[in-house]
């Protein structure tokens, strides 16, 4: 069984640039959630994708956007990067909403540094 | 909306001592509760979960937690700490059909030899 994989693991960008982070969900999972974890803090919910559509969003501005593909993999895009966007971005997959108990399976994250 | 509060951002214990990490939740409907562990530069790994079955939940690596509705608590314990338990621990809450799992700020556990 393949777990959640994320790429890239580390990247450095400058303010104003755009970034795309990628996530492959665990086999059998069709729901993908993205979290931002700033240094020393708990993960904060960005949004979730189910059946290729956004299915809930946290308190993040529209410059944070995403996609889910037919194979359930997902992308997180952040435009007009700001210094405060520096964080570990975590992708988590889970079972279909109707069956879920809420358990999330996390990847190891993509660490973004904005200079 | 549901939320969790972790009491103590940093807990230090000696090897072999009891580990107690505190978590209180707030939810208007019956919650699902989780403890995750995060080792440096890694993602989150599930330790255990409460999903309305037994109130005492046993997880991996000898950890357990007890759901106490009257106290709105879900504290994590381990009878005897091991050096390998040093990590960041997160309590989290979710509700059925909600898509927004909420995490606490985390508790860093240090284990002294």
């Amino acid at each position: 069984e393949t777990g959640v994989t994320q790429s890239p693991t580390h990247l450095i960008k400058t303010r104003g640039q755009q970034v795309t982070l990628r996530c492959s969900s665990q086999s059998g999972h069709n729901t993908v959630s993205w979290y931002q974890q700033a240094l020393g803090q708990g993960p904060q919910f960005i949004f979730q994708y189910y059946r290729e559509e956004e299915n809930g969003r946290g308190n993040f501005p529209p410059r944070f956007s995403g996609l889910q593909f037919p194979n359930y993999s997902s992308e997180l895009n952040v435009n007009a990067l700001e210094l405060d966007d520096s964080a570990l971005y975590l992708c988590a997959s889970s079972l279909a909403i109707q069956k879920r108990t809420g358990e999330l399976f996390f990847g190891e994250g993509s660490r973004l540094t904005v200079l | 909306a549901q939320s969790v509060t972790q009491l103590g951002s940093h807990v230090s214990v000696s090897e072999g001592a009891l580990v107690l990490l505190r978590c209180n939740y707030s939810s208007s409907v019956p919650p699902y509760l989780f403890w995750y562990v995060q080792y440096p530069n890694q993602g989150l790994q599930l330790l255990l979960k409460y999903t309305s079955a037994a109130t005492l939940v046993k997880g991996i690596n000898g950890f357990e937690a007890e759901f106490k509705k009257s106290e709105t608590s879900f504290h994590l314990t381990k009878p005897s700490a091991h050096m390998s338990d040093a990590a960041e621990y997160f309590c989290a809450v979710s509700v059925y059909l909600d898509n927004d799992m909420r995490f606490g700020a985390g508790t860093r556990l240090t284990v002294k030899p």
Side-chain angles (χ1 to χ4, degrees):
Chain A
E1 184 177 81
T2 305
V4 178
T5 58
Q6 294 186 241
S7 63
T9 55
H10 296 81
L11 69 166
I12 299 173
K13 293 285 188 177
T14 57
R15 276 187 303 173
Q17 285 189 313
Q18 179 266 343
V19 68
T20 297
L21 308 178
R22 296 177 176 83
C23 172
S24 294
S25 61
Q26 182 164 316
S27 177
H29 290 180
N30 59 7
T31 302
V32 173
S33 303
W34 286 92
Y35 285 79
Q36 181 195 65
Q37 186 180 16
L39 196 62
Q41 298 183 22
Q44 299 294 315
F45 176 67
I46 303 175
F47 44 56
Q48 182 184 82
Y49 276 82
Y50 172 63
R51 290 185 173 177
E52 304 178 50
E53 293 191 358
E54 187 177 289
N55 183 54
R57 188 179 185 92
N59 188 27
F60 281 82
R63 59 189 185 85
F64 286 78
S65 63
L67 285 172
Q68 187 180 31
F69 300 98
N71 66 354
Y72 307 133
S73 66
S74 177
E75 289 183 352
L76 165 64
N77 299 289
V78 187
N79 293 322
L81 285 167
E82 302 176 358
L83 295 179
D84 286 347
D85 296 332
S86 295
L88 181 67
Y89 288 85
L90 295 166
C91 171
S93 71
S94 55
L95 294 169
I97 290 175
Q98 293 86 344
K99 300 179 183 179
R100 67 193 294 264
T101 59
E103 180 177 350
L104 299 177
F105 297 81
F106 284 87
E108 295 198 348
S110 295
R111 184 164 297 284
L112 171 65
T113 302
V114 182
L115 302 177
Chain B
Q2 66 273 22
S3 66
V4 292
T5 301
Q6 292 185 241
L7 304 176
S9 59
H10 190 194
V11 170
S12 181
V13 300
S14 298
E15 191 173 20
L18 171 71
V19 175
L20 171 60
L21 305 182
R22 300 177 186 274
C23 173
N24 287 89
Y25 70 91
S26 173
S27 177
S28 58
V29 297
Y32 299 122
L33 294 161
F34 306 82
W35 277 98
Y36 283 86
V37 61
Q38 185 177 35
Y39 297 100
N41 300 313
Q42 293 188 24
L44 278 69
Q45 178 185 4
L46 182 69
L47 275 178
L48 50 80
K49 62 182 179 182
Y50 166 76
T51 57
S52 73
T55 57
L56 182 62
V57 181
K58 295 186 183 299
I60 62 171
N61 301 338
F63 284 94
E64 63 181 37
E66 186 172 8
F67 173 72
K68 292 187 176 180
K69 184 177 179 180
S70 61
E71 300 177 8
T72 62
S73 68
F74 190 58
H75 301 330
L76 181 70
T77 61
K78 182 174 181 177
S80 177
H82 192 273
M83 296 296 291
S84 61
D85 295 328
E88 188 88 19
Y89 291 80
F90 293 95
C91 181
V93 61
S94 179
V95 296
Y96 183 60
L97 294 183
D98 198 349
N99 49 24
D100 178 3
M101 180 178 286
R102 302 289 180 96
F103 287 83
T107 298
R108 179 167 298 278
L109 176 66
T110 301
V111 182
K112 299 175 292 185

